[in-house]
Amino acid sequence: SQQGEEDPQALSIQEGENATMNCSYKTSINNLQWYRQNSGRGLVHLILIRSNEREKHSGRLRVTLDTSKKSSSLLITASRAADTASYFCATHNDYKLSFGAGTTVTVRA
Amino acid sequence: EAGVAQSPRYKIIEKRQSVAFWCNPISGHATLYWYQQILGQGPKLLIQFQNNGVVDDSQLPKDRFSAERLKGVDSTLKIQPAKLEDSAVYLCASSEQLAGGNEQFFGPGTRLTVL
C-alpha cells in the first residue's frame, strides 16, 4: 500500500514561477525523500529530510517536514522547462520506502 | 560511476507466458530492490535484498513472482505465468546499505506489456 499522498495531482505553471506540492502520510517515519521522474532520466533522488529535521534546502529546492501533522512540502523556485516531471514523496520506515502517487508538474515556456 | 543496469528495456508477452528481468546494481551497493510501477501510480516495493538475503517480500505475489540475488550482486525477477494486470514498469534500485534509509538509485526500468 502507498503511504504518502501528494497534492495536487497535477500542476501547470509558467517558467520562472515557483511550484509547491504537498505530501501527507499516515505512520511514523525515519525520513522522507522526494524523487523526480521524467522520461529522459528515470527516477532520480532529489532530497532527503530526517524525522528530526524541519527544513532542508538543495539548490532551488526547499523541503519542509512537520511530523506533528504528518506532512511535507516541496518547493521548487524559479522553475525551468527541465523541471517538467512527476514528483514523488517517499516515506522511509521499517527499512522500506513507500511512494505516493505523485504530482505531475508541467512548466510552460 | 556506472548506474543501475536493467534489461531488457521493453518486453511484450501474451498472458500465461513467463518473463524474466535482470538487474545489475551499482558496484558495492549491498541492498537491492525491485519495484512495480503501474501507469499513473508511484512505485510499489515488491522485494528487497540485503546482500543475497531477502529482507522484505511481503508485497510479492509469490504464486507467480519470484526473485533471486545469487552471490549478492545482480538479480533476476521472474513472472510465471503472467497476467494482464502485470503490465507495468519494473524498476530495480540499489543503495549502499539497508540501515539509515539513505537514497536509492534507480535503473531505467523494464516496460512490460501483457496482451
Side-chain angles (χ1 to χ4, degrees), chain A residues 1-6 23-27 88-91 97-102, chain B residues 35-45 59:
Chain A
S1 61
Q2 298 188 318
Q3 179 174 201
E5 285 188 18
E6 290 91 342
C23 170
S24 59
Y25 57 92
K26 299 185 178 74
T27 65
F88 297 90
C89 72
T91 54
L97 207 55
S98 299
F99 286 81
Chain B
Y35 290 87
Q36 179 193 59
Q37 186 175 22
I38 292 171
L39 187 64
Q41 300 181 17
K44 182 184 89 170
L45 179 68
Q59 299 193 89

Coordinates of all heavy atoms in Angstrom, one line a residue, chain A residues 1-6 23-27 88-91 97-102, chain B residues 35-45 59:
Chain A
S1 N 0.9 -1.2 0.0 CA 0.0 0.0 0.0 C 0.9 1.2 0.0 O 2.0 1.2 0.5 CB -0.9 0.0 1.2 OG -0.2 0.0 2.4
Q2 N 0.4 2.3 -0.6 CA 1.2 3.5 -0.7 C 0.8 4.4 0.5 O -0.3 4.8 0.8 CB 0.9 4.2 -2.0 CG 1.3 3.4 -3.2 CD 1.2 4.1 -4.5 OE1 0.2 4.8 -4.7 NE2 2.1 3.9 -5.3
Q3 N 1.9 4.9 1.3 CA 1.6 5.6 2.4 C 1.4 7.1 2.1 O 0.5 7.7 2.7 CB 2.7 5.4 3.5 CG 2.5 6.3 4.7 CD 3.3 6.2 5.8 OE1 2.9 6.5 6.9 NE2 4.6 5.7 5.7
G4 N 2.3 7.7 1.3 CA 2.2 9.1 1.0 C 1.2 9.4 0.0 O 0.9 8.7 -0.9
E5 N 0.6 10.6 0.2 CA -0.4 11.1 -0.8 C 0.1 12.5 -1.2 O 0.2 13.4 -0.3 CB -1.8 11.1 -0.2 CG -2.4 9.8 -0.1 CD -3.9 9.9 0.2 OE1 -4.5 10.9 0.1 OE2 -4.4 8.9 0.7
E6 N 0.3 12.7 -2.5 CA 0.7 14.1 -2.9 C -0.5 14.9 -3.3 O -1.5 14.4 -3.8 CB 1.7 14.0 -4.1 CG 3.1 13.4 -3.7 CD 3.1 12.0 -3.9 OE1 2.1 11.3 -3.9 OE2 4.3 11.4 -4.0
C23 N 2.8 16.6 0.6 CA 2.7 15.2 0.8 C 2.2 14.9 2.2 O 2.7 15.5 3.2 CB 4.1 14.6 0.7 SG 4.3 12.8 1.1
S24 N 1.2 14.1 2.4 CA 0.7 13.7 3.7 C 0.9 12.2 3.8 O 0.9 11.4 2.8 CB -0.7 14.0 3.9 OG -1.5 13.4 2.9
Y25 N 1.2 11.7 5.1 CA 1.4 10.3 5.3 C 0.8 9.9 6.6 O 0.2 10.7 7.3 CB 2.9 10.0 5.3 CG 3.7 10.8 6.3 CD1 3.9 10.3 7.6 CD2 4.3 12.1 6.0 CE1 4.7 11.0 8.6 CE2 5.0 12.8 6.9 CZ 5.2 12.3 8.2 OH 5.9 13.0 9.1
K26 N 0.8 8.6 6.8 CA -0.1 8.1 7.9 C 0.7 7.6 9.2 O 0.2 7.8 10.3 CB -0.9 6.9 7.4 CG -1.9 7.3 6.3 CD -2.8 6.2 5.9 CE -3.8 6.5 4.8 NZ -3.2 6.6 3.5
T27 N 1.8 7.0 9.0 CA 2.5 6.4 10.1 C 3.8 7.1 10.4 O 4.3 8.0 9.6 CB 2.8 4.9 9.9 OG1 3.7 4.8 8.8 CG2 1.5 4.2 9.6
F88 N 7.6 12.6 -6.6 CA 7.0 11.6 -5.7 C 7.7 11.8 -4.3 O 8.9 12.0 -4.2 CB 7.4 10.2 -6.1 CG 6.8 9.8 -7.4 CD1 7.4 9.9 -8.6 CD2 5.5 9.2 -7.4 CE1 6.9 9.5 -9.8 CE2 4.9 8.8 -8.6 CZ 5.6 8.9 -9.8
C89 N 6.8 11.8 -3.3 CA 7.4 11.7 -1.9 C 7.4 10.3 -1.5 O 6.6 9.5 -2.0 CB 6.5 12.5 -0.9 SG 4.9 11.9 -0.5
A90 N 8.4 9.9 -0.7 CA 8.5 8.5 -0.3 C 8.9 8.5 1.2 O 9.9 9.2 1.6 CB 9.6 7.8 -1.1
T91 N 8.1 7.8 2.0 CA 8.4 7.8 3.4 C 9.2 6.5 3.7 O 9.0 5.4 3.1 CB 7.1 7.7 4.2 OG1 6.3 6.7 3.7 CG2 6.4 9.1 4.0
L97 N 10.8 1.9 1.8 CA 10.5 3.1 1.2 C 9.1 2.9 0.6 O 8.9 2.0 -0.2 CB 11.5 3.5 0.1 CG 11.7 5.0 -0.2 CD1 12.1 5.8 1.1 CD2 12.8 5.1 -1.2
S98 N 8.1 3.8 0.9 CA 6.8 3.7 0.4 C 6.5 5.0 -0.4 O 6.6 6.1 0.2 CB 5.7 3.6 1.5 OG 6.0 2.4 2.2
F99 N 6.2 4.9 -1.7 CA 6.0 6.0 -2.5 C 4.5 6.4 -2.6 O 3.6 5.6 -2.6 CB 6.4 5.7 -3.9 CG 7.9 5.7 -4.1 CD1 8.7 4.6 -3.8 CD2 8.6 6.8 -4.6 CE1 10.0 4.6 -3.9 CE2 10.0 6.8 -4.8 CZ 10.7 5.7 -4.4
G100 N 4.2 7.7 -2.8 CA 2.9 8.2 -3.1 C 2.7 8.1 -4.6 O 3.5 7.6 -5.3
A101 N 1.5 8.6 -5.0 CA 1.1 8.5 -6.4 C 1.7 9.6 -7.3 O 1.7 9.6 -8.5 CB -0.4 8.5 -6.6
G102 N 2.2 10.7 -6.6 CA 3.0 11.7 -7.4 C 2.2 12.9 -7.8 O 1.0 12.9 -7.8
Chain B
Y35 N 10.8 -2.9 -7.8 CA 9.5 -2.2 -7.6 C 8.7 -2.4 -8.9 O 9.2 -2.6 -10.0 CB 9.8 -0.6 -7.5 CG 10.4 -0.2 -6.3 CD1 11.8 -0.1 -6.1 CD2 9.6 0.3 -5.2 CE1 12.3 0.4 -4.9 CE2 10.2 0.8 -4.0 CZ 11.5 0.8 -3.9 OH 12.1 1.3 -2.7
Q36 N 7.4 -2.4 -8.7 CA 6.4 -2.4 -9.8 C 5.8 -1.0 -9.9 O 5.3 -0.5 -8.8 CB 5.4 -3.5 -9.6 CG 4.3 -3.6 -10.7 CD 3.2 -4.4 -10.2 OE1 2.5 -4.1 -9.3 NE2 2.9 -5.5 -11.0
Q37 N 5.8 -0.4 -11.0 CA 5.1 0.9 -11.2 C 4.1 0.8 -12.3 O 4.4 0.7 -13.5 CB 6.1 2.0 -11.5 CG 5.4 3.4 -11.5 CD 6.4 4.5 -11.7 OE1 7.5 4.3 -12.2 NE2 6.0 5.7 -11.3
I38 N 2.8 0.8 -11.9 CA 1.7 0.8 -12.8 C 1.4 2.2 -13.3 O 1.6 3.2 -12.5 CB 0.4 0.2 -12.1 CG1 0.7 -1.3 -11.9 CG2 -0.8 0.4 -13.0 CD1 -0.3 -2.0 -11.1
L39 N 1.0 2.4 -14.5 CA 0.8 3.7 -15.1 C 0.0 4.6 -14.2 O -1.1 4.2 -13.8 CB 0.2 3.5 -16.5 CG 0.1 4.8 -17.3 CD1 1.4 5.3 -17.7 CD2 -0.7 4.5 -18.6
G40 N 0.5 5.8 -13.9 CA -0.3 6.7 -13.1 C -0.1 6.6 -11.6 O -0.7 7.3 -10.8
Q41 N 0.7 5.6 -11.2 CA 0.9 5.4 -9.8 C 2.4 5.5 -9.4 O 3.2 5.5 -10.3 CB 0.4 3.9 -9.4 CG -1.1 3.7 -9.7 CD -1.5 2.3 -9.2 OE1 -0.8 1.6 -8.5 NE2 -2.7 1.9 -9.7
G42 N 2.7 5.5 -8.1 CA 4.0 5.5 -7.7 C 4.6 4.1 -7.6 O 3.8 3.1 -7.7
P43 N 5.9 3.9 -7.6 CA 6.5 2.6 -7.5 C 6.0 1.9 -6.2 O 5.9 2.5 -5.1 CB 8.0 2.9 -7.4 CG 8.1 4.3 -8.0 CD 6.9 5.0 -7.6
K44 N 5.8 0.6 -6.3 CA 5.4 -0.3 -5.2 C 6.5 -1.3 -5.0 O 6.8 -2.0 -5.9 CB 4.0 -1.0 -5.5 CG 3.6 -1.8 -4.3 CD 2.3 -2.6 -4.6 CE 2.6 -3.9 -5.3 NZ 1.3 -4.7 -5.4
L45 N 7.0 -1.4 -3.8 CA 8.1 -2.3 -3.5 C 7.6 -3.8 -3.6 O 6.5 -4.1 -3.0 CB 8.6 -2.1 -2.1 CG 9.7 -3.0 -1.6 CD1 11.0 -2.8 -2.4 CD2 10.0 -2.8 -0.1
Q59 N 5.0 -7.9 -0.3 CA 4.1 -7.5 -1.4 C 4.4 -8.2 -2.7 O 3.9 -7.8 -3.7 CB 4.2 -6.0 -1.5 CG 3.7 -5.2 -0.3 CD 3.5 -3.7 -0.6 OE1 2.3 -3.4 -0.9 NE2 4.5 -2.9 -0.4

